[in-house]
Structures are given as C-alpha cells and as structure tokens.
C-alpha cells in the first residue's frame, strides 16, 4: 500500500500538521479531503461527515402539495392583475377549499398524507383544521413575519408532541410535558448552540472564569466555544468510560456535586461514540440534582435520539433543570433545511437563577431589554433567547422563516402518524447493515450493544490492532505511530477520509466513521482498506522484532 515516495509524502504532511494540534476535527477533515483528492483517477470515500444520504420522501411530497394549495389560495386575490400578483390566504372557508383541492389532486404524491395530516390534527390532536391550514398556508407563502417570533402557535404544539414522543416521555408524562414545554424554532442545532452560549452570557448566568462540565468525548464545538475570548469558561471533563460502553461512571458524575460548576453539557446519544446513556446514569444524575444541585443547568443535545432503541432523554427525567436541543437534520435527511428547536420547561432553573441575580445586574438587564418590554424582569429566558438571537433591537423580525417551520411540522406529523414506525425501522436497518459491512471488510465480528445507535462508529485502532494481531503488536502500534498518521495515510494512499477521535477528546487513538453518508459497498471497501493498512503495520512490527529497527 505504501511506496517510498508515499512514505515521504506522509511524513512531510505529518510534519506540517504538528502546529495544528488545536484544529477542529471538522477543519482537519477538510485537509484530509484535499489529500484524498490528489489522485483524480481514484474515487474518494468520505466517511468523515455525518450528512445522511437518505431522506424522508412523503413529508416532502406533502410540502409540494401544500405549496400548490397555498398558491391557489393566493390566486384568489388580485385576479384583475392578470396573474402577476397574489394575496394572503383567507381563514374563512379554507377547509372547504382544501377538500376540493384534495379531490382534484388525489392521485398525486403527497396529497393523501397531507389530507391525513389535517385529519390527524383535527381528530386526534384536537386542533382546528381551519386554523392549522391557515397557519400552514400563510407559512408556506412566507408572506408574514414569524409570529410570535419564537415559533408559530400550532407548529409549536405539534413539534412539542413529536419531541416528547421521541424523547421517551411516555404517555402520561408526555402529555403533561407537552403542555409545559416551550419551543424556540432555530436554524438547526448549530444555531441552538450559538444562541444558548450567547444568551447565558448576556444574562450573566455564565461569566468569564466560570466552570462548566462537559460529558466527553463530545461534539468538538462544545469543546471549542467555551475557550473563545467571548466566554473564557473553565472546562471540567466528565468522562465516559470506554471499557463500559461509553457510559458515564458514578465517580465522574460525582464531580457535578461541585457547586462551582454552573452548567453540564452533554450529547445523548453521543457524538462521536453513537451510544445512548443508560437509565442508571440518568437516575444518578437525577439524584445529584434533586439532592444537592437544584441550581445546575443541564444542556442536552439529543439530535441522534431518533436512531436509538427505547431512548430516554434527561429532559424527561429533570425537565426543570434541562435545556433540550434537537435538530431535524439527521433523521429526516434535512441538513440543508436548517431545522432545529430549543426546548425549555415553563418552570425552569434559568428563569429562577435570573430572578436571583443581584440588583445591580438586574438593572443592567433592565436596560438591555428596555427596547422590547417595560418590565424585563418578567421576561422568560426562552424569550430572552429570541431577543438575543437578533441583538435585542431586531427582536420584532426574529424567528425561523415560516416555510422552514412548515416543513418542520410536516416532518413531525409524519413521525407522529407513523405508529408502526416504518420510516424509523427502515433508517435503522440501513445504518445497521452499513455497520455490519464495515466489519465484514475488516474481517472481524462486529461489536453489539443495546445502547449503540449506529449513526457513527468509533474505531479504536489500538483495540483493532490487538484483536487482529495481539497485545504486543497493539502496544508497538500505539507507541510507534504519530497520533494522526493512520487517518492521514488512509486519505493520502487510499482516498478514505475519517475523523480523528482526538478532536472529540477521545483518549485512545481512534477514528470516527460516519455510517450515514455512503453506500453499503463503500463501507466494505473502507473496512478492507483499514485492514490492509493494519496488515502493513503488522509486517513492519515483525521486521522490528527481528532487527530492532
């Protein structure tokens, strides 16, 4: 696999990378992609990014049909302008006009689901079909500012039901949490992260020098944002144990009893680990919070929850202390749509902490929010988030665009109405097959765990080396190789792009493989390529044993 020229090239690249230790794994991936593309005749296999190559069709077809109906509503106005100008939809009579539209378009893809969705909203959720249609039509047309800026009224209620279902709230708790949960529709999970950090700082909940805890390994921006000059937060690692399936051991959770820790950030299921936390971990966290840390803020990023079996979010266990971040991007194949939400309980710890701030800080915040309210002390944190997302002064034009919110609602309804979970099972099946294909290529039996989610898999190269050729080789492999040589050689020599685990605070030499974005046959090729490279290193190890060089 390696030529002398190839060896020199890899060594040169590794030398250049020595000054890039702080580089984000996602920026490092861009370098790997450039290396992988150097040979134009070779196909690159980029398993570095988690952008899925599957997507939900039915709610997208429904969006197109809704668009046709919305435009027919707009065409009812300004007819004398010769079709150049339309108007806003009329609420009165909209249900009857929709029924006519459905009959005329019944044989077109998406119409049946759209009709069923309206029925579900009316007959099962108990909302007015006319109000729903009017909100969706106006939203599709994008002819109004988002109102309220936080989220469209029925959109919020429907998406909240979807969230509580997927977060494992159960029937009774789910219904009460739906009514008690407030949502802010945002431009994907990345916007949620940015808005939360900014607003927690602006409201003096997180201040320079404060301690925050991170459940590591973790999505790298959670490691990088606190270090920015804007925040300068001190990070306390709460480390999941690889030997116990990346669950967080009790002694690590005990760190959260420290009252100096203001907030605890976690991604569940994990990224890069793709493992959900067991209920025992959640219950231990409940014990700590309810016993000693009622002031602890928990931010849980649960974007991969929908890929897990029997998932339970910490939001359903500690709703008053938890801020929930969710994105529609991965599950519905909608990364380009930029759809996400921030969810908070109506009675939450952040509001309480703001009320308890010293008077001089309260007066500063009164000035900050004076342009939007005469009584800022009654302004909830979730509404402060909305205002802060547009530098307060532009709060009146804040909010996720209404066409985006409409597609979000259709995704949510699709999942709510799919009681057999046909889509979910199909997506899980795809990911599990790809996981198996990767290990077939490696020539190893795949590891199985009921907590695996299979969106990514974290390959511990030390473990792989030991499984294939024993402990002595594994120890030599780790001791001899520069940390990033393995992923660099895969890119340079085989056109395979993986993300190094080190950028996610993984302790062992490892590489994250996305199982979401390539064909099944490609994962067999990646597995074989990794195996071939390890075989080559084993040959070097045997030579080293003979010669000591």
């Amino acid at each position: 696999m390696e030529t002398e020229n190839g060896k020199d090239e890899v060594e040169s690249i590794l030398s250049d990378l020595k000054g890039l230790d702080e580089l984000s794994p996602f920026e490092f991936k861009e370098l790997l992609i450039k290396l992988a593309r150097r040979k134009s005749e070779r196909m690159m296999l980029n398993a570095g990014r988690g952008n899925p190559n599957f997507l939900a069709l039915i709610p997208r077809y429904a969006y197109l049909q809704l668009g046709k109906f919305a435009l027919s509503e707009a065409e009812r106005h300004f007819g004398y302008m010769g079709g150049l100008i339309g108007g806003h939809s009329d609420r009165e009579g909209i249900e009857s006009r929709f029924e006519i539209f459905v009959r005329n378009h019944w044989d077109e893809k998406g119409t049946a689901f759209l009709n069923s969705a309206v029925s579900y909203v009316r007959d099962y959720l108990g909302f007015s079909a006319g109000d729903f249609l009017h909100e969706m039509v106006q939203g599709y047309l994008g002819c109004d500012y988002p109102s309220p800026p936080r989220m469209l009224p029925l959109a919020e209620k429907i998406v909240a039901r979807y969230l509580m279902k997927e977060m494992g709230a159960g029937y009774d708790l789910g219904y009460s949490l739906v009514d008690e949960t407030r949502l802010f529709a945002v431009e994907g999970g990345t916007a949620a992260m940015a808005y939360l950090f900014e607003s927690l700082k602006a409201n003096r909940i997180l201040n320079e020098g404060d301690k925050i805890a991170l459940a590591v390994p973790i999505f790298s921006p959670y490691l990088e944002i606190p270090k920015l000059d804007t925040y300068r937060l001190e990070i306390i690692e709460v480390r999941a144990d690889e030997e116990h399936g990346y669950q967080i051991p009790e002694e690590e959770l005990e760190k959260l009893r420290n009252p100096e820790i203001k907030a605890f950030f976690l991604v569940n299921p994990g990224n890069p680990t793709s493992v959900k936390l067991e209920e025992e971990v959640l219950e231990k966290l409940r014990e700590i919070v309810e016993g000693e840390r009622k002031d602890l803020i928990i931010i849980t990023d649960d974007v991969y929850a929908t890929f897990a079996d029997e998932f339970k979010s910490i939001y359903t266990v500690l709703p008053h202390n938890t801020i929930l971040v969710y994105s529609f991007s991965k599950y519905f194949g909608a990364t380009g749509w930029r759809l996400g939400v921030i969810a908070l309980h109506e009675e939450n710890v952040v509001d309480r902490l703001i009320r308890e701030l010293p008077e001089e800080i309260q007066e500063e915040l009164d000035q900050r929010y004076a342009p939007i309210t005469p009584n800022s002390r009654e302004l909830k944190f979730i509404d402060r988030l909305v205002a802060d997302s547009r530098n307060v002064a532009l709060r009146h034009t804040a909010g996720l665009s209404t066409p985006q919110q409409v597609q979000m609602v259709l995704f949510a309804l699709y999942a709510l109405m799919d009681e057999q979970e046909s889509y979910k099972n199909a997506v899980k099946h795809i990911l599990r097959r790809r996981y198996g294909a990767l290990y077939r290529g490696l020539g190893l039996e795949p590891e199985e765990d009921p907590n695996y989610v299979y969106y990514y898999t974290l390959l511990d190269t030390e473990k792989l080396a030991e499984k294939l050729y024993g402990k002595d080789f594994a120890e030599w492999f780790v001791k001899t190789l520069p940390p990033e040589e393995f992923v660099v050689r895969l890119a340079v020599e085989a056109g395979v792009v993986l993300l190094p685990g080190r950028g996610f605070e993984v302790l062992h030499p490892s590489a994250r493989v996305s199982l979401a974005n390539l064909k099944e046959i490609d994962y067999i090729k990646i597995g074989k390529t990794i195996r071939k490279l390890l075989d080559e290193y084993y040959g070097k190890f045997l030579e080293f044993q003979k010669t000591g060089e």
Side-chain angles (χ1 to χ4, degrees), residues 69-114:
F69 177 63
L71 288 170
S72 72
E73 287 288 286
E75 288 171 346
R76 297 179 65 246
H77 302 276
F78 297 100
Y80 62 89
M81 298 296 293
L84 295 174
I85 297 174
H88 291 204
S89 171
D90 293 323
R91 164 65 180 85
E92 185 178 352
I94 195 169
E95 290 176 74
S96 298
R97 295 192 297 275
F98 179 71
E99 289 173 4
I100 295 169
F101 174 86
V102 167
R103 286 197 296 271
N104 291 338
H105 296 81
W106 184 254
D107 293 333
E108 298 176 17
K109 287 182 177 179
T111 303
F113 171 74
L114 185 61

Side-chain angles (χ1 to χ4, degrees), residues 426-532:
V427 167
K428 286 180 177 180
H429 181 68
I430 289 171
L431 295 175
R432 282 156 173 75
R433 283 184 61 94
R434 291 173 179 178
Y435 179 72
L438 176 69
Y439 273 85
R440 283 201 306 277
L442 284 165
L444 294 170
E445 283 295 315
E447 296 180 359
E448 300 292 344
D449 187 309
N451 298 314
Y452 283 179
V453 176
Y454 301 101
Y455 196 88
Y456 305 109
T457 187
L458 191 62
L459 293 179
D460 184 325
T461 49
E462 182 179 0
K463 276 189 174 180
L464 284 179
E466 184 173 347
K467 279 185 178 181
L468 289 168
Y469 296 114
K471 192 172 183 63
D472 289 345
F473 169 63
E475 290 176 354
W476 173 88
F477 178 79
V478 172
K479 183 179 178 181
T480 305
L481 257 68
E484 313 302 356
E485 178 175 320
F486 191 78
V487 291
V488 168
R489 284 196 62 192
L490 285 172
V492 171
E493 298 171 18
V496 171
V497 177
L498 309 180
L499 289 190
R502 187 171 65 162
F504 300 89
E505 280 300 305
V506 180
L507 293 179
H508 297 282
S510 58
R512 191 195 78 170
V513 183
S514 168
L515 299 171
N517 63 321
L518 296 172
K519 297 175 183 177
E520 186 173 323
I521 188 67
D522 293 330
Y523 291 100
I524 296 175
K525 293 175 183 176
I526 290 173
K528 287 181 175 180
T529 302
I530 294 171
R531 176 63 184 265
K532 186 176 180 181

Side-chain angles (χ1 to χ4, degrees), residues 162-208:
Y162 162 73
L163 273 183
M164 292 309 102
K165 171 180 177 284
E166 298 297 348
M167 295 303 117
Y171 186 83
D172 294 330
L173 177 61
Y175 267 83
S176 63
L177 274 182
V178 164
D179 294 333
E180 297 163 358
T181 297
R182 302 292 175 261
L183 304 184
F184 174 24
V186 295
E187 303 88 341
T190 51
M193 291 171 61
Y195 295 159
L196 282 168
F197 273 102
E198 178 58 32
S199 210
L200 288 168
K201 175 183 169 62
N203 285 279
R204 306 294 289 276
I205 300 302
L206 291 181
N207 301 295
E208 184 176 328

Side-chain angles (χ1 to χ4, degrees), residues 259-401:
E260 293 183 348
I261 294 175
K262 300 293 185 67
F264 177 40
F265 293 78
L266 66 152
V267 177
N268 183 30
N271 177 8
T273 62
S274 216
V275 172
K276 71 172 185 178
L277 293 177
E278 294 176 340
E279 285 201 41
E280 289 83 352
V281 176
L282 304 183
E283 287 302 319
K284 179 62 181 178
L285 191 51
R286 186 212 294 266
E287 176 197 320
I288 292 169
V289 170
E290 293 182 347
E292 297 178 38
R293 292 304 318 276
K294 290 185 173 65
D295 61 338
L296 182 66
I297 302 166
I298 301 170
I299 296 93
T300 185
D301 184 336
D302 293 357
V303 61
Y304 301 102
T306 40
F307 299 100
D309 294 332
E310 299 178 3
F311 179 76
K312 194 173 188 66
S313 171
I314 190 62
Y315 183 79
T316 67
V317 177
L318 289 166
H320 301 285
N321 286 77
T322 303
I323 301 172
L324 169 65
V325 171
Y326 179 75
S327 166
F328 288 74
S329 297
K330 303 299 194 299
Y331 186 52
F332 295 98
T335 51
W337 269 102
R338 314 311 300 136
L339 305 178
V341 290
I342 299 171
L344 285 92
H345 195 276
E346 61 183 2
E347 298 293 335
N348 64 80
V349 66
V350 186
D351 285 333
R352 177 165 60 81
L353 291 173
I354 291 173
R355 289 194 299 268
E356 294 172 357
L357 288 170
E359 179 61 25
E360 62 269 22
I361 296 177
Q362 294 281 10
E363 290 175 1
E364 290 178 17
L365 294 177
D366 289 344
Q367 290 298 312
R368 177 178 179 82
Y369 296 108
I372 63 171
T373 177
N375 193 355
S376 68
R377 302 192 188 194
E378 294 182 2
L379 193 64
K380 294 277 191 178
F381 178 65
I382 196 165
D383 294 311
R384 294 172 188 238
L385 273 167
V386 178
D388 295 335
S389 74
R390 298 298 185 270
N391 291 326
V392 182
L394 292 168
R395 181 252 179 206
H396 63 288
T397 56
L400 187 67
S401 80

